[in-house]
Amino acid sequence: MAEDIIPKRRILTEKNNFIEIVAWRVPKSESYPEGIKYSFAFVHKNKRVIAFDNFNNEGHHKHYFDKKEEYIFKSLKETASQFFKLIEEFEEKQK
């Protein structure tokens, strides 16, 4: 059974975008060697533009607009830091 590490939450930003984050502790496996399953997503105008996750047995990866690339996972804290930094940069450019 999955145990919440970060309970699912949705956050509205000052620019009316939203952030959805969640993480669970799961049994260690080939798909989840750290025993963590997570999803951090940033949505702008109803479209996911930034995300970090390890869902669907695809390993750790990052979505940035339409690009998807492998992501070297160090910790949830480091992943969250990079995720929120990209959001800050995006929203600074937003009018």
Side-chain angles (χ1 to χ4, degrees):
M1 186 166 144
E3 170 193 348
D4 285 353
I5 297 172
I6 300 172
K8 186 174 184 176
R9 55 186 116 143
R10 186 175 274 196
I11 303 159
L12 185 64
T13 72
E14 291 179 7
K15 304 270 183 160
N16 289 317
N17 299 306
F18 74 85
I19 298 164
E20 189 167 278
I21 58 174
V22 64
W24 306 272
R25 189 167 315 281
V26 296
K28 289 185 180 182
S29 65
E30 189 175 317
S31 298
Y32 305 104
E34 298 85 6
I36 297 170
K37 184 175 181 178
Y38 64 94
S39 175
F40 299 162
F42 173 73
V43 176
H44 170 69
K45 295 185 178 178
N46 295 318
K47 181 174 171 140
R48 179 184 69 183
V49 293
I50 300 168
F52 288 77
D53 70 76
N54 66 340
F55 280 18
N56 300 325
N57 302 322
E58 296 179 25
H60 303 283
H61 56 278
K62 171 175 73 174
H63 302 264
Y64 192 76
F65 290 87
D66 293 330
K67 295 180 185 176
K68 179 175 155 185
E69 60 187 48
E70 186 178 339
Y71 172 71
I72 298 172
F73 180 82
K74 295 179 183 171
S75 69
L76 278 178
K77 186 176 180 179
E78 176 66 25
T79 303
S81 176
Q82 291 187 29
F83 173 69
F84 284 106
K85 181 180 179 196
L86 286 174
I87 291 170
E88 186 177 319
E89 290 169 1
F90 178 89
E91 287 200 328
E92 283 177 1
K93 293 176 188 174
Q94 217 181 331
K95 291 184 177 188

